[in-house]
Coordinates of all heavy atoms in Angstrom, one line a residue:
M5 N 63.7 -72.2 87.8 CA 63.0 -73.4 87.9 C 63.8 -74.5 87.1 O 63.9 -75.6 87.5 CB 61.6 -73.3 87.4 CG 60.8 -74.6 87.6 SD 59.1 -74.5 87.2 CE 58.5 -73.3 88.3
L6 N 64.4 -74.1 85.9 CA 65.1 -75.0 85.1 C 66.4 -75.5 85.8 O 66.7 -76.7 85.8 CB 65.5 -74.4 83.7 CG 66.3 -75.3 82.8 CD1 65.5 -76.5 82.4 CD2 66.6 -74.5 81.5
L7 N 67.0 -74.6 86.5 CA 68.2 -75.0 87.3 C 67.8 -76.0 88.4 O 68.5 -77.0 88.6 CB 68.9 -73.8 87.8 CG 70.1 -74.1 88.7 CD1 71.2 -74.8 87.9 CD2 70.7 -72.8 89.3
N8 N 66.7 -75.7 89.0 CA 66.2 -76.6 90.1 C 65.9 -78.0 89.5 O 66.3 -79.0 90.1 CB 65.0 -76.0 90.7 CG 64.7 -76.5 92.1 OD1 65.5 -77.4 92.6 ND2 63.7 -76.1 92.7
A9 N 65.3 -78.0 88.4 CA 65.0 -79.3 87.7 C 66.3 -80.1 87.4 O 66.4 -81.3 87.6 CB 64.1 -79.1 86.5
L10 N 67.3 -79.3 86.8 CA 68.5 -80.0 86.5 C 69.2 -80.5 87.7 O 69.8 -81.6 87.6 CB 69.4 -79.0 85.7 CG 69.0 -78.6 84.3 CD1 69.9 -77.5 83.7 CD2 69.0 -79.9 83.4
L11 N 69.2 -79.8 88.8 CA 69.8 -80.3 90.0 C 69.1 -81.5 90.6 O 69.7 -82.5 90.9 CB 69.8 -79.2 91.1 CG 70.8 -78.1 90.9 CD1 70.6 -77.0 91.9 CD2 72.2 -78.6 90.9
R12 N 67.7 -81.5 90.6 CA 67.0 -82.6 91.2 C 67.1 -83.8 90.3 O 67.1 -84.9 90.9 CB 65.5 -82.2 91.3 CG 65.2 -81.2 92.3 CD 63.7 -80.8 92.4 NE 63.5 -79.8 93.4 CZ 62.3 -79.5 93.8 NH1 61.2 -80.1 93.3 NH2 62.1 -78.5 94.6
G13 N 67.1 -83.7 89.1 CA 67.3 -84.9 88.2 C 68.7 -85.2 87.8 O 69.1 -86.3 87.7
G14 N 69.5 -84.1 87.7 CA 70.8 -84.3 87.2 C 71.8 -84.9 88.2 O 72.6 -85.8 87.8
L15 N 71.7 -84.6 89.4 CA 72.6 -85.1 90.4 C 72.5 -86.6 90.6 O 73.5 -87.4 90.5 CB 72.4 -84.4 91.8 CG 73.0 -83.0 91.8 CD1 72.7 -82.3 93.2 CD2 74.4 -82.9 91.5
P16 N 71.2 -87.2 90.7 CA 71.1 -88.6 90.8 C 71.6 -89.3 89.5 O 72.2 -90.4 89.5 CB 69.6 -88.9 91.0 CG 69.1 -87.6 91.5 CD 70.0 -86.5 91.0
F17 N 71.3 -88.6 88.4 CA 71.7 -89.2 87.1 C 73.2 -89.3 87.0 O 73.7 -90.3 86.5 CB 71.2 -88.3 85.9 CG 71.6 -88.8 84.6 CD1 71.0 -89.9 84.0 CD2 72.6 -88.1 83.9 CE1 71.4 -90.4 82.8 CE2 73.0 -88.6 82.6 CZ 72.4 -89.7 82.1
V18 N 73.9 -88.3 87.4 CA 75.4 -88.3 87.3 C 75.9 -89.4 88.2 O 76.8 -90.2 87.8 CB 76.0 -86.9 87.7 CG1 77.5 -87.0 87.9 CG2 75.6 -85.9 86.6
V19 N 75.4 -89.5 89.5 CA 75.9 -90.4 90.4 C 75.7 -91.9 89.9 O 76.5 -92.7 89.9 CB 75.3 -90.2 91.8 CG1 75.6 -91.4 92.7 CG2 75.8 -88.9 92.4
M20 N 74.4 -92.1 89.5 CA 74.1 -93.4 89.0 C 74.7 -93.8 87.7 O 75.1 -95.0 87.5 CB 72.5 -93.6 88.9 CG 71.8 -93.5 90.3 SD 70.1 -93.6 90.1 CE 69.8 -95.3 89.7
S21 N 75.0 -92.8 86.9 CA 75.7 -93.1 85.6 C 77.1 -93.5 85.9 O 77.7 -94.3 85.2 CB 75.6 -91.9 84.7 OG 74.3 -91.7 84.2
A22 N 77.7 -92.8 86.9 CA 79.1 -93.2 87.3 C 79.1 -94.6 87.8 O 80.1 -95.4 87.5 CB 79.6 -92.2 88.4
I23 N 78.2 -95.0 88.6 CA 78.1 -96.3 89.1 C 77.9 -97.3 88.0 O 78.6 -98.4 87.9 CB 76.9 -96.5 90.1 CG1 77.2 -95.7 91.4 CG2 76.6 -98.0 90.5 CD1 76.0 -95.6 92.3
A24 N 77.1 -97.0 87.0 CA 76.9 -97.8 85.8 C 78.3 -98.0 85.1 O 78.6 -99.0 84.6 CB 75.9 -97.2 84.9
A25 N 79.0 -96.9 84.9 CA 80.3 -96.9 84.3 C 81.3 -97.9 85.0 O 82.0 -98.7 84.4 CB 80.9 -95.5 84.1
F26 N 81.3 -97.8 86.3 CA 82.2 -98.6 87.1 C 81.7 -100.1 86.9 O 82.6 -101.0 86.8 CB 82.2 -98.2 88.6 CG 83.0 -97.0 88.8 CD1 82.5 -95.9 89.4 CD2 84.4 -97.0 88.5 CE1 83.2 -94.8 89.7 CE2 85.1 -95.9 88.8 CZ 84.6 -94.7 89.3
L27 N 80.5 -100.4 87.0 CA 80.0 -101.7 86.8 C 80.4 -102.2 85.4 O 80.8 -103.4 85.3 CB 78.4 -101.8 86.9 CG 77.9 -101.6 88.3 CD1 76.4 -101.4 88.3 CD2 78.2 -102.9 89.1
N28 N 80.3 -101.4 84.4 CA 80.6 -101.8 83.1 C 82.1 -102.1 83.0 O 82.5 -103.1 82.3 CB 80.2 -100.7 82.1 CG 80.3 -101.2 80.6 OD1 79.8 -102.3 80.4 ND2 80.9 -100.5 79.8
M29 N 83.0 -101.3 83.6 CA 84.4 -101.5 83.6 C 84.8 -102.8 84.3 O 85.8 -103.4 84.0 CB 85.1 -100.4 84.3 CG 85.2 -99.1 83.4 SD 86.3 -97.8 84.0 CE 85.3 -97.1 85.3
Q30 N 83.9 -103.2 85.3 CA 84.2 -104.5 86.0 C 83.7 -105.7 85.3 O 83.7 -106.8 85.8 CB 83.6 -104.4 87.4 CG 84.2 -103.4 88.3 CD 83.5 -103.3 89.6 OE1 82.4 -103.7 89.8 NE2 84.2 -102.7 90.6
G31 N 83.1 -105.5 84.1 CA 82.6 -106.6 83.3 C 81.1 -106.9 83.6 O 80.6 -108.0 83.1
N32 N 80.4 -106.1 84.3 CA 79.0 -106.4 84.7 C 78.1 -105.6 83.7 O 77.4 -104.7 84.2 CB 78.7 -106.0 86.1 CG 79.5 -106.9 87.1 OD1 79.7 -108.1 86.9 ND2 80.0 -106.2 88.1
A33 N 78.2 -105.9 82.5 CA 77.5 -105.1 81.5 C 76.0 -105.0 81.7 O 75.3 -104.0 81.5 CB 77.8 -105.6 80.1
E34 N 75.4 -106.1 82.0 CA 73.9 -106.2 82.2 C 73.5 -105.3 83.4 O 72.5 -104.6 83.4 CB 73.5 -107.6 82.4 CG 72.0 -107.8 82.3 CD 71.4 -107.4 81.0 OE1 72.1 -107.6 79.9 OE2 70.3 -106.9 80.9
Q35 N 74.3 -105.4 84.5 CA 74.0 -104.6 85.7 C 74.2 -103.1 85.4 O 73.5 -102.2 85.8 CB 74.8 -105.0 86.9 CG 74.4 -106.3 87.5 CD 75.2 -106.7 88.7 OE1 76.3 -106.1 88.9 NE2 74.8 -107.7 89.4
A36 N 75.2 -102.8 84.6 CA 75.5 -101.5 84.2 C 74.4 -100.9 83.4 O 74.0 -99.7 83.5 CB 76.8 -101.4 83.4
R37 N 73.9 -101.7 82.4 CA 72.8 -101.2 81.6 C 71.5 -100.9 82.4 O 70.9 -99.9 82.3 CB 72.5 -102.3 80.6 CG 71.3 -102.0 79.7 CD 71.0 -103.2 78.7 NE 69.8 -103.1 78.1 CZ 69.5 -102.5 76.9 NH1 70.5 -101.9 76.3 NH2 68.3 -102.4 76.4
G38 N 71.2 -101.8 83.4 CA 70.1 -101.6 84.2 C 70.2 -100.4 85.1 O 69.3 -99.6 85.3
T39 N 71.4 -100.2 85.6 CA 71.7 -99.0 86.5 C 71.6 -97.7 85.6 O 71.0 -96.7 86.1 CB 73.1 -99.1 87.1 OG1 73.1 -100.3 87.9 CG2 73.4 -97.9 88.0
F40 N 72.0 -97.8 84.4 CA 71.9 -96.6 83.6 C 70.5 -96.2 83.3 O 70.1 -95.1 83.3 CB 72.7 -96.8 82.2 CG 72.6 -95.6 81.4 CD1 73.3 -94.4 81.7 CD2 71.8 -95.6 80.2 CE1 73.1 -93.3 80.8 CE2 71.7 -94.5 79.4 CZ 72.3 -93.3 79.7
F41 N 69.7 -97.2 83.0 CA 68.3 -97.0 82.7 C 67.5 -96.5 83.9 O 66.7 -95.6 83.9 CB 67.6 -98.2 82.1 CG 67.8 -98.3 80.6 CD1 68.7 -99.2 80.1 CD2 67.1 -97.4 79.7 CE1 68.9 -99.2 78.7 CE2 67.3 -97.5 78.3 CZ 68.2 -98.4 77.8
A42 N 67.9 -97.0 85.1 CA 67.4 -96.5 86.4 C 67.8 -95.0 86.6 O 67.0 -94.2 87.1 CB 67.8 -97.3 87.5
A43 N 69.0 -94.7 86.2 CA 69.5 -93.3 86.2 C 68.7 -92.4 85.3 O 68.4 -91.3 85.7 CB 71.0 -93.2 85.8
L44 N 68.4 -92.9 84.2 CA 67.5 -92.1 83.3 C 66.1 -91.8 83.9 O 65.6 -90.7 83.9 CB 67.3 -92.8 81.9 CG 68.4 -92.6 80.9 CD1 68.1 -93.5 79.7 CD2 68.6 -91.2 80.5
I45 N 65.6 -92.8 84.5 CA 64.3 -92.7 85.1 C 64.4 -91.7 86.3 O 63.5 -90.8 86.5 CB 63.7 -94.0 85.5 CG1 63.3 -94.8 84.3 CG2 62.5 -93.9 86.5 CD1 62.9 -96.3 84.5
A46 N 65.4 -91.8 87.1 CA 65.6 -90.9 88.2 C 65.8 -89.4 87.7 O 65.3 -88.5 88.3 CB 66.9 -91.3 89.0
L47 N 66.4 -89.3 86.5 CA 66.6 -87.9 85.9 C 65.2 -87.4 85.6 O 64.9 -86.2 85.9 CB 67.4 -88.0 84.6 CG 67.5 -86.8 83.7 CD1 68.2 -85.7 84.4 CD2 68.1 -87.2 82.4
F48 N 64.4 -88.2 84.9 CA 63.1 -87.7 84.5 C 62.2 -87.4 85.7 O 61.5 -86.3 85.7 CB 62.4 -88.7 83.6 CG 63.2 -88.9 82.3 CD1 63.3 -90.2 81.8 CD2 63.8 -87.9 81.6 CE1 63.9 -90.5 80.6 CE2 64.5 -88.2 80.4 CZ 64.6 -89.5 79.9
V49 N 62.1 -88.3 86.6 CA 61.2 -88.1 87.8 C 61.7 -87.0 88.6 O 60.9 -86.1 89.1 CB 61.2 -89.4 88.6 CG1 60.4 -89.2 89.9 CG2 60.5 -90.5 87.8
G50 N 63.0 -86.9 88.9 CA 63.5 -85.8 89.7 C 63.3 -84.4 89.1 O 62.9 -83.5 89.8
A51 N 63.6 -84.3 87.8 CA 63.4 -83.0 87.1 C 61.9 -82.6 87.1 O 61.6 -81.4 87.2 CB 63.9 -83.1 85.7
A52 N 61.0 -83.6 87.0 CA 59.6 -83.3 86.8 C 59.0 -82.8 88.2 O 57.9 -82.3 88.2 CB 58.8 -84.5 86.3
T53 N 59.7 -83.0 89.3 CA 59.1 -82.6 90.6 C 58.9 -81.1 90.7 O 58.1 -80.7 91.5 CB 59.9 -83.1 91.7 OG1 61.2 -82.5 91.7 CG2 60.0 -84.6 91.8
V54 N 59.6 -80.3 89.8 CA 59.5 -78.9 89.9 C 58.1 -78.4 89.5 O 57.6 -77.3 89.8 CB 60.5 -78.1 89.1 CG1 61.9 -78.4 89.7 CG2 60.4 -78.5 87.6
I55 N 57.4 -79.3 88.8 CA 56.0 -79.0 88.4 C 55.1 -78.6 89.6 O 54.3 -77.8 89.5 CB 55.4 -80.2 87.6 CG1 56.1 -80.3 86.2 CG2 53.9 -80.0 87.4 CD1 55.8 -81.6 85.5
Y56 N 55.4 -79.3 90.7 CA 54.6 -79.1 91.9 C 55.0 -77.8 92.6 O 54.4 -77.5 93.6 CB 54.7 -80.3 92.8 CG 54.0 -81.5 92.2 CD1 54.8 -82.5 91.6 CD2 52.7 -81.6 92.1 CE1 54.2 -83.6 90.9 CE2 52.1 -82.7 91.4 CZ 52.8 -83.7 90.9 OH 52.3 -84.7 90.2
Q57 N 55.9 -77.0 92.1 CA 56.3 -75.7 92.7 C 55.6 -74.6 91.9 O 55.7 -73.4 92.3 CB 57.8 -75.5 92.6 CG 58.5 -76.4 93.6 CD 60.0 -76.1 93.6 OE1 60.6 -76.0 92.5 NE2 60.6 -76.0 94.7
I58 N 54.8 -74.9 90.9 CA 54.1 -73.9 90.1 C 52.8 -73.6 90.9 O 51.8 -74.2 90.7 CB 53.9 -74.3 88.7 CG1 55.2 -74.7 88.0 CG2 53.2 -73.2 87.9 CD1 55.0 -75.3 86.6
D59 N 52.9 -72.6 91.7 CA 51.8 -72.2 92.6 C 50.5 -71.8 91.8 O 49.4 -71.9 92.4 CB 52.2 -71.2 93.6 CG 53.2 -71.7 94.6 OD1 53.2 -72.9 94.8 OD2 54.1 -70.9 95.1
S60 N 50.7 -71.2 90.7 CA 49.6 -70.7 89.9 C 48.7 -71.9 89.3 O 47.6 -71.6 88.8 CB 50.0 -69.7 88.8 OG 50.9 -70.4 87.9
W61 N 49.3 -73.1 89.3 CA 48.6 -74.2 88.8 C 47.8 -75.0 89.9 O 48.4 -75.1 91.0 CB 49.5 -75.2 88.1 CG 50.1 -74.8 86.8 CD1 49.9 -73.6 86.2 CD2 50.9 -75.5 85.9 NE1 50.6 -73.5 85.0 CE2 51.2 -74.7 84.8 CE3 51.4 -76.8 86.0 CZ2 52.0 -75.2 83.8 CZ3 52.2 -77.3 84.9 CH2 52.5 -76.5 83.8
R62 N 46.7 -75.5 89.6 CA 45.9 -76.3 90.6 C 46.6 -77.7 90.6 O 47.3 -78.1 89.7 CB 44.5 -76.4 90.1 CG 43.8 -75.1 90.2 CD 42.3 -75.2 89.8 NE 41.7 -76.2 90.7 CZ 40.5 -76.7 90.5 NH1 39.8 -76.5 89.4 NH2 40.0 -77.6 91.4
L63 N 46.4 -78.4 91.7 CA 47.0 -79.7 91.9 C 46.6 -80.6 90.7 O 47.4 -81.4 90.3 CB 46.7 -80.3 93.2 CG 47.2 -81.7 93.5 CD1 48.7 -81.7 93.5 CD2 46.7 -82.2 94.9
T64 N 45.4 -80.5 90.3 CA 44.9 -81.4 89.2 C 45.8 -81.1 87.9 O 46.2 -82.1 87.3 CB 43.4 -81.1 88.9 OG1 42.7 -81.2 90.1 CG2 42.9 -82.0 87.8
K65 N 46.0 -79.9 87.6 CA 46.8 -79.6 86.4 C 48.2 -80.1 86.6 O 48.8 -80.6 85.7 CB 46.8 -78.1 86.1 CG 47.6 -77.7 84.9 CD 47.4 -76.2 84.6 CE 48.2 -75.8 83.3 NZ 48.0 -74.4 83.0
Q66 N 48.8 -79.8 87.8 CA 50.2 -80.3 88.0 C 50.3 -81.8 87.9 O 51.2 -82.3 87.3 CB 50.6 -79.9 89.5 CG 50.7 -78.4 89.7 CD 50.9 -78.0 91.1 OE1 50.4 -78.8 92.0 NE2 51.5 -76.9 91.4
S67 N 49.3 -82.5 88.4 CA 49.3 -84.0 88.3 C 49.1 -84.5 86.9 O 49.8 -85.4 86.5 CB 48.2 -84.5 89.2 OG 48.3 -84.2 90.6
V68 N 48.3 -83.9 86.1 CA 48.1 -84.3 84.7 C 49.3 -84.0 83.9 O 49.8 -84.9 83.2 CB 46.8 -83.6 84.1 CG1 46.8 -83.8 82.6 CG2 45.6 -84.1 84.8
V69 N 49.9 -82.8 84.1 CA 51.2 -82.5 83.4 C 52.3 -83.5 83.8 O 53.0 -84.0 83.0 CB 51.6 -81.1 83.6 CG1 53.0 -80.8 83.1 CG2 50.6 -80.1 83.0
H70 N 52.4 -83.8 85.1 CA 53.4 -84.7 85.6 C 53.2 -86.1 85.0 O 54.1 -86.7 84.5 CB 53.4 -84.8 87.1 CG 54.4 -85.7 87.7 ND1 54.3 -87.0 88.0 CD2 55.7 -85.4 88.0 CE1 55.4 -87.5 88.4 NE2 56.3 -86.5 88.5
F71 N 51.9 -86.6 85.0 CA 51.6 -87.9 84.4 C 52.0 -87.9 82.9 O 52.6 -88.9 82.4 CB 50.1 -88.2 84.6 CG 49.7 -89.4 83.8 CD1 50.1 -90.7 84.2 CD2 49.1 -89.3 82.6 CE1 49.7 -91.8 83.5 CE2 48.7 -90.4 81.8 CZ 49.0 -91.7 82.3
L72 N 51.7 -86.9 82.2 CA 52.0 -86.8 80.7 C 53.5 -86.8 80.5 O 54.0 -87.5 79.6 CB 51.3 -85.6 80.1 CG 49.8 -85.7 80.0 CD1 49.2 -84.4 79.4 CD2 49.3 -86.9 79.1
L73 N 54.2 -86.1 81.3 CA 55.7 -86.1 81.2 C 56.3 -87.5 81.5 O 57.2 -87.9 80.8 CB 56.3 -85.0 82.1 CG 56.2 -83.6 81.6 CD1 56.7 -82.7 82.7 CD2 57.1 -83.4 80.4
M74 N 55.7 -88.1 82.5 CA 56.2 -89.5 82.8 C 55.9 -90.4 81.7 O 56.7 -91.3 81.3 CB 55.6 -90.0 84.1 CG 56.0 -89.2 85.3 SD 57.8 -89.2 85.6 CE 58.3 -87.6 85.0
L75 N 54.7 -90.3 81.1 CA 54.3 -91.1 80.0 C 55.2 -90.9 78.8 O 55.5 -91.9 78.1 CB 52.8 -90.8 79.6 CG 52.2 -91.7 78.5 CD1 52.1 -93.1 79.0 CD2 50.8 -91.2 78.2
L76 N 55.7 -89.7 78.6 CA 56.5 -89.4 77.4 C 58.0 -89.7 77.7 O 58.8 -89.8 76.7 CB 56.4 -87.9 77.0 CG 55.0 -87.5 76.5 CD1 54.9 -86.0 76.3 CD2 54.8 -88.2 75.1
T77 N 58.4 -89.9 78.9 CA 59.8 -90.1 79.2 C 60.0 -91.5 79.9 O 60.8 -92.3 79.3 CB 60.3 -89.0 80.2 OG1 59.5 -88.9 81.4 CG2 60.3 -87.6 79.5
V78 N 59.4 -91.8 80.9 CA 59.6 -93.0 81.7 C 59.1 -94.2 80.9 O 59.8 -95.2 80.8 CB 59.0 -92.9 83.1 CG1 59.1 -94.3 83.8 CG2 59.7 -91.9 83.9
Y79 N 57.9 -94.1 80.3 CA 57.4 -95.3 79.6 C 58.3 -95.7 78.5 O 58.6 -96.9 78.4 CB 56.0 -95.0 79.1 CG 55.4 -96.1 78.3 CD1 55.1 -97.3 78.8 CD2 55.0 -95.8 77.0 CE1 54.6 -98.3 78.0 CE2 54.5 -96.8 76.2 CZ 54.3 -98.1 76.7 OH 53.8 -99.1 75.9
P80 N 58.7 -94.8 77.6 CA 59.7 -95.3 76.5 C 61.0 -95.8 77.1 O 61.5 -96.8 76.5 CB 59.9 -94.0 75.7 CG 58.8 -93.1 76.0 CD 58.4 -93.4 77.4
T81 N 61.4 -95.2 78.2 CA 62.6 -95.8 78.8 C 62.4 -97.2 79.3 O 63.3 -98.0 79.1 CB 63.0 -94.9 80.0 OG1 63.2 -93.5 79.6 CG2 64.3 -95.3 80.7
L82 N 61.3 -97.5 79.8 CA 61.0 -98.9 80.2 C 61.0 -99.8 79.0 O 61.4 -100.9 79.1 CB 59.6 -98.9 80.9 CG 59.5 -98.3 82.3 CD1 58.1 -98.2 82.8 CD2 60.4 -99.0 83.3
L83 N 60.4 -99.3 77.9 CA 60.4 -100.1 76.7 C 61.8 -100.5 76.2 O 62.0 -101.6 75.7 CB 59.5 -99.4 75.6 CG 58.1 -99.3 75.9 CD1 57.4 -98.5 74.7 CD2 57.4 -100.6 76.1
F84 N 62.7 -99.5 76.3 CA 64.0 -99.7 75.7 C 65.0 -100.3 76.7 O 66.1 -100.6 76.4 CB 64.6 -98.4 75.2 CG 63.9 -98.0 73.9 CD1 63.1 -96.8 74.0 CD2 64.0 -98.7 72.7 CE1 62.4 -96.4 72.8 CE2 63.3 -98.2 71.6 CZ 62.5 -97.1 71.6
S85 N 64.6 -100.4 78.0 CA 65.5 -100.8 79.0 C 65.9 -102.3 79.0 O 67.0 -102.6 79.5 CB 64.9 -100.6 80.4 OG 63.8 -101.5 80.6
G86 N 65.1 -103.1 78.4 CA 65.4 -104.5 78.3 C 64.9 -105.2 79.6 O 65.0 -106.4 79.7
W87 N 64.2 -104.5 80.4 CA 63.6 -105.1 81.6 C 62.3 -105.9 81.3 O 61.9 -106.8 82.1 CB 63.2 -104.1 82.6 CG 64.4 -103.3 83.2 CD1 65.7 -103.8 83.2 CD2 64.5 -102.1 83.8 NE1 66.5 -102.9 83.8 CE2 65.8 -101.8 84.2 CE3 63.5 -101.1 84.0 CZ2 66.2 -100.6 84.8 CZ3 63.9 -99.9 84.6 CH2 65.2 -99.7 85.0
F88 N 61.8 -105.6 80.1 CA 60.6 -106.3 79.7 C 60.8 -106.9 78.3 O 61.5 -106.3 77.5 CB 59.3 -105.4 79.6 CG 59.0 -104.7 80.9 CD1 59.5 -103.5 81.3 CD2 58.2 -105.4 81.8 CE1 59.2 -102.9 82.5 CE2 57.8 -104.8 83.0 CZ 58.4 -103.5 83.4
E89 N 60.3 -108.1 78.0 CA 60.4 -108.6 76.7 C 59.3 -108.0 75.8 O 58.1 -108.1 76.1 CB 60.2 -110.2 76.8 CG 60.4 -110.8 75.5 CD 60.4 -112.3 75.6 OE1 60.8 -112.9 76.6 OE2 59.9 -113.0 74.6
I90 N 59.8 -107.3 74.8 CA 58.9 -106.5 73.9 C 59.0 -107.1 72.5 O 59.9 -106.8 71.8 CB 59.2 -105.0 73.9 CG1 59.2 -104.4 75.3 CG2 58.2 -104.3 73.0 CD1 57.9 -104.4 76.0
D91 N 58.1 -108.0 72.2 CA 58.1 -108.6 70.9 C 56.9 -108.2 70.0 O 56.9 -108.5 68.8 CB 58.1 -110.2 71.0 CG 59.3 -110.7 71.6 OD1 60.4 -110.1 71.4 OD2 59.2 -111.7 72.4
S92 N 56.0 -107.5 70.6 CA 54.8 -107.1 69.9 C 54.1 -105.9 70.5 O 54.5 -105.5 71.6 CB 53.8 -108.3 69.9 OG 53.3 -108.5 71.2
L93 N 53.1 -105.4 69.9 CA 52.4 -104.3 70.4 C 51.7 -104.7 71.7 O 51.6 -103.9 72.7 CB 51.4 -103.7 69.4 CG 50.5 -102.5 69.8 CD1 51.4 -101.3 70.1 CD2 49.5 -102.2 68.7
I94 N 51.2 -105.9 71.8 CA 50.6 -106.4 73.0 C 51.6 -106.3 74.2 O 51.2 -106.0 75.3 CB 50.1 -107.8 72.8 CG1 49.0 -107.9 71.7 CG2 49.5 -108.4 74.1 CD1 47.8 -107.1 72.0
D95 N 52.8 -106.7 74.0 CA 53.8 -106.6 75.0 C 54.0 -105.2 75.5 O 54.1 -104.9 76.7 CB 55.1 -107.2 74.6 CG 55.1 -108.6 74.3 OD1 54.2 -109.3 74.9 OD2 55.9 -109.1 73.5
A96 N 54.0 -104.2 74.5 CA 54.2 -102.8 74.9 C 53.0 -102.3 75.7 O 53.1 -101.5 76.6 CB 54.4 -102.0 73.6
L97 N 51.8 -102.8 75.3 CA 50.6 -102.4 76.0 C 50.6 -103.0 77.4 O 50.1 -102.4 78.4 CB 49.3 -102.9 75.2 CG 49.0 -102.1 74.0 CD1 47.9 -102.7 73.2 CD2 48.8 -100.6 74.2
H98 N 51.1 -104.2 77.6 CA 51.2 -104.8 78.9 C 52.1 -104.0 79.8 O 51.8 -103.7 81.0 CB 51.8 -106.3 78.8 CG 51.9 -107.0 80.1 ND1 53.2 -107.2 80.6 CD2 51.0 -107.5 80.9 CE1 53.0 -107.8 81.8 NE2 51.7 -108.0 82.0
V99 N 53.2 -103.5 79.2 CA 54.1 -102.6 80.0 C 53.4 -101.3 80.3 O 53.5 -100.8 81.4 CB 55.4 -102.3 79.2 CG1 56.3 -101.3 80.0 CG2 56.2 -103.6 79.0
L100 N 52.6 -100.8 79.4 CA 51.8 -99.6 79.7 C 50.8 -99.8 80.8 O 50.7 -99.0 81.7 CB 51.0 -99.2 78.4 CG 50.1 -97.9 78.6 CD1 51.0 -96.7 79.0 CD2 49.3 -97.7 77.3
L101 N 50.2 -101.0 80.9 CA 49.3 -101.3 82.0 C 50.1 -101.3 83.3 O 49.6 -100.8 84.3 CB 48.6 -102.6 81.7 CG 47.5 -102.6 80.7 CD1 47.0 -104.0 80.4 CD2 46.4 -101.6 81.0
I102 N 51.2 -101.9 83.3 CA 52.1 -101.9 84.5 C 52.4 -100.5 84.9 O 52.3 -100.1 86.1 CB 53.3 -102.8 84.3 CG1 52.9 -104.2 84.2 CG2 54.3 -102.6 85.5 CD1 54.1 -105.1 83.7
F103 N 52.8 -99.7 83.9 CA 53.2 -98.3 84.2 C 52.0 -97.5 84.8 O 52.1 -96.8 85.7 CB 53.6 -97.6 82.8 CG 53.7 -96.1 82.9 CD1 54.9 -95.6 83.4 CD2 52.7 -95.3 82.5 CE1 55.1 -94.2 83.4 CE2 52.9 -93.9 82.6 CZ 54.1 -93.4 83.1
L104 N 50.8 -97.7 84.2 CA 49.6 -97.1 84.7 C 49.2 -97.5 86.1 O 48.8 -96.7 86.9 CB 48.4 -97.3 83.8 CG 48.5 -96.7 82.4 CD1 47.4 -97.1 81.5 CD2 48.6 -95.2 82.5
F105 N 49.4 -98.8 86.4 CA 49.1 -99.3 87.7 C 50.1 -98.7 88.8 O 49.6 -98.4 89.9 CB 49.3 -100.8 87.7 CG 49.0 -101.5 89.0 CD1 47.7 -101.5 89.5 CD2 50.0 -102.0 89.8 CE1 47.4 -102.1 90.8 CE2 49.7 -102.5 91.1 CZ 48.4 -102.6 91.6
V106 N 51.3 -98.6 88.4 CA 52.3 -98.1 89.4 C 52.1 -96.6 89.5 O 52.2 -96.0 90.5 CB 53.7 -98.4 88.9 CG1 54.8 -97.7 89.8 CG2 54.0 -99.9 89.0

């Protein structure tokens, strides 16, 4: 299962990180940064899909574990990505609301 998670998340991460590196070499640092953070999110989301292959877990448990993993990985990535202006706790909570809505 770990190998499957690494493949599902790792392959998009490697490809998108390479694209980010090329963008950075071309002087497009902001686009490179955004692409790299998107690569991180793809890594987390792709790897977490193996949760739904655990047949001994009910769909409810799979969904809750997936949500918690996304909350612990994707949400902080969003906060550090620079895609949102985070100057206060209120701003971070606003991003959390967007995360929960999506």
Side-chain angles (χ1 to χ4, degrees):
M5 188 175 296
L6 180 60
L7 179 61
N8 200 0
L10 289 174
L11 287 173
R12 289 181 184 192
L15 289 176
F17 177 75
V18 169
V19 170
M20 293 178 72
S21 292
I23 292 169
F26 285 120
L27 287 168
N28 195 46
M29 285 189 283
Q30 293 175 344
N32 297 319
E34 193 62 33
Q35 289 180 350
R37 177 182 165 90
T39 302
F40 179 73
F41 278 103
L44 278 175
I45 291 172
L47 170 69
F48 299 139
V49 172
T53 61
V54 297
I55 290 168
Y56 294 102
Q57 291 183 314
I58 304 173
D59 294 330
S60 61
W61 288 6
R62 295 181 59 194
L63 180 59
T64 304
K65 182 176 181 177
Q66 293 169 334
S67 298
V68 168
V69 170
H70 184 266
F71 171 76
L72 292 174
L73 281 173
M74 296 300 99
L75 186 62
L76 293 172
T77 57
V78 173
Y79 175 62
T81 303
L82 291 172
L83 293 178
F84 291 112
S85 69
W87 295 336
F88 300 93
E89 188 173 324
I90 309 294
D91 294 324
S92 67
L93 181 60
I94 298 297
D95 294 335
L97 290 174
H98 181 252
V99 175
L100 178 62
L101 288 175
I102 294 170
F103 172 83
L104 293 173
F105 180 73
V106 173

